[in-house]
Every structure is written in structure tokens, then in C-alpha cells.
Amino acid sequence: MPPNRSLLLGVNIDHAATLRQARYRDEAHSCGGNVEPDPVLLAQLAERAGADGITVHLREDRRHIQPRDVERLRECVATRLNLEMACTSAMVKFALAIRPHAVCIVPENRAEVTTEGGLDVVGLGRRLAGVVSRLGDAGITVSLFIDPDPSQIERAAAIGAPFVELHTGAYANAYHELPRRAREFKRLYDGAEQAEAAGLMVNAGHGINYVNIAEVRTIPHLHELNIGHAILSRALFTGIEEAVREMKARMNPAG
Ligand code: PXP
């Protein structure tokens, strides 16, 4: 069943910075000025086309987004800025100084090309609970990026996180293998039901594209989708505004 309220779109703009860093990685001042492409300008255009929020991941290895980008985005983003970050004291300090509207805590592994699995909420235990409450006390909406795994969902609710973002990567990777895809879709469906019943708000992200969105949008209780690679790839051909408009139309088809 399709959702009965509009699904929100958070546009992840990390890969605008990936492209910039491919040329300017060794420059002292790679943010702003006339250095292209500027993720902040991209964010503003995405918002103009209907993005409900802008998401960036400030990785420890600084491979794409830089701290200065996040500072500039905090000043310019008119919708909501969602900062993806690892659960480290340095990142908590940074988030408390910048005060984005939302933080999504993700696992981070230097060798990965992109975030691979969900956070181990069970394993991180009390440390994560402390971070969730410190960020929450500062008025930041916290979400935990987790696999649709019953024990992780249960633990996320137990430590008081208001949101989870369900990892749709395994589903997206299985898209062309029907039995595996059906299994992964059921995990997401059941995970969303469990999360909602436990009082959690449900976001989703990773590997969502212009094709699989037709099925992803039927996962129950979804609030917001965070989508990056597909939108930025499409933008190379159509421009970011058309790429955002097209994704939003597919997320919330009329009628
Ligand atoms: N959500 C989270 C937590 C992520 O780490 C990422 C990738 O940076 C995304 C969503 C977006 O994934 P994609 O670029 O595949 O759309």
C-alpha cells in the first residue's frame, strides 16, 4: 500500500564534494569562492526544486565534505540540515558546535567506498545512549542508521532515539535477483512495522534510485528518504533541479 502522506526527500550532496576534491584535494582552500562544484550552491538549487532537507556525511578521512562545507551549509540551508557522522567524541563536539537540525549516526570504516552496514546499536550500548541524549538535549533530532534487524530496532527504541534510518542497501543490491529482493523487502517492511510500533519515526536510505523508488515508497510508516548517488548522477544530465523534481514526483505520484 502506498503511503497516505507525502514522503519527504533529504538530498545527500556528498558527491558534489567528491567531484570537487578530485581536483582540489591538496589545496588549502577548497571550499567556496569560485571552486567548482560548490556543494552549498547545489544544496540551494536542490531546495528550490523541492528538497525537504540537505544531508551531508562528514567522514573522518574528509574524502568529500569538509568541516567548512558544513559550517557554510548551516548558514545557508533554508530547509533542514542533516549531518551524518560517526559516534566519536570529535564528531559529537563538532555537531554540538554547529547544531545541525538533525544528526544521523552511522558506522564508519576507512576502507569502505560508502557506508556499508548499519550501526551496531546493541554493541555500542551505553556510549551511544549517552550521545543520543547529549545531542537530543541540544535540540538536535537524532537518528540511528541501522539494518532492518529486530534486535537493532528494539535497542534503538530502548536507548531513546527518536528516529531510525533503515538501511536499504541490501535491498537495492538484490534488486535484480527476485527471491533475494523479496526477502530484503520483507525485512524492511517488517522492520518499519516494528520500529513504528516501538514509537520510532522511520526514515530510510542508501541505494535508492529512480527505479526502485516505486517499491521503496510502499514500505509502511516512512517519513523521509535520504538519497544521494542517484540524484547527483541524474543531475549530470538534467541539472540538479530537474533531478530533484523527478525523484519527488516518483516518491509521491499524484493520485
Ligand atoms: N543514508 C545514509 C546513512 C548514507 O550513509 C548514505 C550514503 O552516504 C545515504 C543515505 C545515501 O545513499 P545513496 O548515495 O546510495 O543514495
Side-chain angles (χ1 to χ4, degrees):
M1 270 233 298
N4 54 13
R5 62 187 149 67
S6 283
L7 257 176
L8 303 181
L9 172 61
V11 177
N12 180 316
I13 59 168
D14 290 349
H15 294 310
T18 303
L19 186 56
R20 179 193 62 198
Q21 297 308 106
R23 171 56 57 98
Y24 291 100
R25 190 183 49 212
D26 299 325
E27 304 291 324
H29 303 289
S30 69
C31 303
N34 52 8
V35 172
E36 293 183 300
D38 181 8
V40 176
L41 181 55
L42 195 86
Q44 289 172 321
L45 294 173
E47 287 185 310
R48 201 161 79 182
D52 301 290
I54 299 297
T55 295
V56 287
H57 184 175
L58 180 62
R59 298 186 73 104
E60 190 196 359
D61 64 11
R62 306 290 193 255
R63 70 174 71 159
H64 40 52
I65 292 292
Q66 307 298 305
R68 181 73 191 124
D69 291 320
V70 187
E71 289 166 7
R72 292 176 64 227
L73 286 162
R74 184 66 184 90
E75 282 166 23
C76 298
V77 163
T79 54
R80 281 169 24 260
L81 177 64
N82 174 34
L83 174 65
E84 293 177 2
M85 58 176 237
C87 183
T88 63
S89 355
M91 280 312 307
V92 171
K93 195 169 157 204
F94 181 81
L96 290 172
I98 297 275
R99 298 199 181 226
H101 303 89
V103 156
C104 179
I105 301 180
V106 300
E108 218 172 90
N109 162 8
R110 268 183 180 258
E112 68 196 0
V113 174
T114 180
T115 315
E116 278 166 1
L119 198 65
D120 182 7
V121 183
V122 178
L124 279 166
R126 285 229 287 276
R127 190 156 78 86
L128 186 58
V131 167
V132 168
S133 91
R134 277 182 75 197
L135 294 173
D137 289 349
I140 300 170
T141 305
V142 183
S143 116
L144 306 179
F145 184 56
I146 56 172
D147 291 320
D149 177 289
S151 58
Q152 299 292 345
I153 295 166
E154 190 185 320
R155 191 72 197 132
I159 67 171
F163 274 84
V164 284
E165 179 172 327
L166 296 180
H167 193 326
T168 46
Y171 161 81
N173 288 341
Y175 194 77
H176 296 288
E177 288 173 48
L178 284 186
R180 194 155 69 92
R181 165 174 156 195
R183 275 198 306 279
E184 292 297 342
F185 183 77
K186 183 164 186 329
R187 289 180 72 212
L188 288 165
Y189 197 104
D190 294 349
E193 294 276 25
Q194 181 193 348
E196 207 260 348
L200 290 159
M201 296 285 288
V202 185
N203 295 337
H206 215 287
I208 300 173
N209 60 36
Y210 291 87
V211 175
N212 65 26
I213 185 60
E215 191 167 53
V216 168
R217 66 181 286 279
T218 67
I219 297 168
H221 314 302
L222 288 179
H223 176 73
E224 181 168 60
L225 301 179
N226 280 302
I227 309 178
H229 188 269
I231 292 178
L232 267 74
S233 302
R234 177 69 63 104
L236 291 174
F237 296 95
T238 66
I240 186 69
E241 291 179 85
E242 181 52 32
V244 169
R245 273 195 292 269
E246 175 68 15
M247 183 57 83
K248 280 215 78 173
R250 288 183 188 222
M251 286 166 60
N252 299 301

